[in-house]
Amino acid sequence: QVQLVESGGGLVQAGGSLRLSCAASGRTVSSYNIGWFRQAPGKEREFVAANSRIGGSTYYADSVKGRFTFSRDNAKNTVYLQMNSLKPEDTAVYYCAATRTLVVATSTAGYDFWGQGTQVTVSS
């Protein structure tokens, strides 16, 4: 099975950018659909973005569409989430997740493997 480790979080001012990384080990990340989720204090974990291992389609939550970009680097066995024009409401712990199902899921129940998360804090 695959192990996932997120990095790249931090403190940034509103309007700034961060790039999150999700490094995979144990299996090649190209074999998995990958999702990004986030969880703010006191809230449910919510969908951010997901990418299909078949065809490469990417899906985004409406709240991040046009600001966040998903990418893969199969040579590094790593996926990324480029986050631009950050807003205070983007503050959360961000998680990457993986699944080998055929259908790209936008719910947490659709993923089998999870990283430990990385904190993103956007100040106003």
Side-chain angles (χ1 to χ4, degrees), residues 47-94:
F47 169 74
V48 175
N51 177 262
S52 172
R53 63 187 176 93
I54 301 173
S57 297
T58 303
Y59 306 88
Y60 297 97
D62 287 344
S63 59
V64 307
K65 204 170 293 183
R67 300 188 297 121
F68 290 12
T69 304
F70 182 104
S71 63
R72 292 181 184 251
D73 186 336
N74 291 332
K76 294 184 178 180
N77 214 28
T78 300
V79 300
Y80 303 97
L81 185 69
Q82 177 67 43
M83 307 187 297
N84 298 329
S85 302
L86 283 161
K87 305 175 181 179
E89 51 263 44
D90 294 319
T91 295
V93 177
Y94 283 70

Side-chain angles (χ1 to χ4, degrees), residues 14-122:
S17 298
L18 284 173
R19 188 178 77 159
L20 305 184
S21 300
C22 173
S25 61
R27 292 287 188 273
T28 55
V29 72
S30 60
S31 300
Y32 294 83
N33 295 339
I34 300 293
W36 283 98
F37 291 80
R38 66 187 182 186
Q39 188 167 18
K43 295 189 176 181
E44 297 282 324
R45 193 169 298 187
E46 66 174 7
F47 169 74
V48 175
N51 177 262
S52 172
R53 63 187 176 93
I54 301 173
S57 297
T58 303
Y59 306 88
Y60 297 97
D62 287 344
S63 59
V64 307
K65 204 170 293 183
R67 300 188 297 121
F68 290 12
T69 304
F70 182 104
S71 63
R72 292 181 184 251
D73 186 336
N74 291 332
K76 294 184 178 180
N77 214 28
T78 300
V79 300
Y80 303 97
L81 185 69
Q82 177 67 43
M83 307 187 297
N84 298 329
S85 302
L86 283 161
K87 305 175 181 179
E89 51 263 44
D90 294 319
T91 295
V93 177
Y94 283 70
Y95 300 88
C96 63
T99 180
R100 294 201 65 183
T101 59
L102 293 177
V103 177
V104 176
T106 58
S107 67
T108 57
Y111 291 86
D112 304 303
F113 306 102
W114 290 83
Q116 84 291 345
T118 185
Q119 176 70 48
V120 171
T121 304
V122 184

